[in-house]
Amino acid sequence: MTYSFPVVPRYAEIDQQGVVFNGHYLTWFDEAFTGFLEHVGLAYPDLIASGVDVMVVHSELDYRGSVRWRDDARVEVSCERQGTTSFTLAFAVYRSADEVAVTGRNVYVVVVQDPETKAWSKAPGIPEKLAAALSAS
């Protein structure tokens, strides 16, 4: 199952070449990740409240075309890989119904918070609820 997150590029996201500035795609990926979690039944605030979070440890972007101001764009998200303590989400940015402009992926490591010190550390594994949500995609 692929989740689709609608995006309308804002004027502030456009660079001097008239296209979306590259750094904004990672922001869109982050927003799409939050929507993806909700879509598969695990709201991000609930994840945090349980003492679990994720950290991006690797990102990649590949450009195939430009997204411009006011394009009817969307970001599609799917879980590409689920490991023991990390997972990879694949992203595709469409600038029209069927034209992929940008693809990318983020590798996330799951972290847990110590209830006493509030320090975050790598989780021993992906918690069952998160693993089930990722598997549902």
Side-chain angles (χ1 to χ4, degrees):
M1 166 180 40
T2 300
Y3 169 73
S4 185
F5 179 79
V7 178
V8 177
R10 298 173 302 167
Y11 182 77
E13 295 172 321
I14 306 304
D15 64 18
Q16 290 187 354
Q17 289 87 26
V19 299
V20 172
F21 177 72
N22 59 19
H24 292 294
Y25 291 111
L26 293 175
T27 299
W28 292 0
F29 290 2
D30 194 56
E31 291 174 343
F33 169 63
T34 301
F36 167 80
L37 282 181
E38 289 182 11
H39 179 74
V40 296
L42 182 61
Y44 189 69
D46 295 340
L47 186 67
I48 299 298
S50 73
V52 175
D53 200 356
V54 296
M55 294 184 175
V56 175
V57 296
H58 178 80
S59 293
E60 12 181 295
L61 296 171
D62 293 303
Y63 300 92
R64 298 179 183 183
S66 301
V67 177
R68 299 183 176 281
W69 182 50
R70 306 297 298 157
D71 277 351
D72 186 20
R74 73 181 188 279
V75 180
E76 290 193 352
V77 184
S78 61
C79 184
E80 186 175 271
R81 184 194 67 80
Q82 188 177 156
T84 305
T85 60
S86 67
F87 59 93
T88 302
L89 295 184
F91 300 91
V93 179
Y94 288 79
R95 71 174 184 183
S96 65
D98 60 353
E99 185 180 355
V100 177
V102 175
T103 58
R105 56 191 36 81
N106 281 345
V107 177
Y108 300 84
V109 169
V110 180
V111 294
V112 292
Q113 187 175 39
D114 182 290
E116 292 179 21
T117 67
K118 303 297 183 199
W120 292 94
S121 61
K122 188 175 179 180
I126 298 175
E128 188 176 313
K129 207 171 195 181
L130 177 57
L134 293 169
S135 295
S137 63

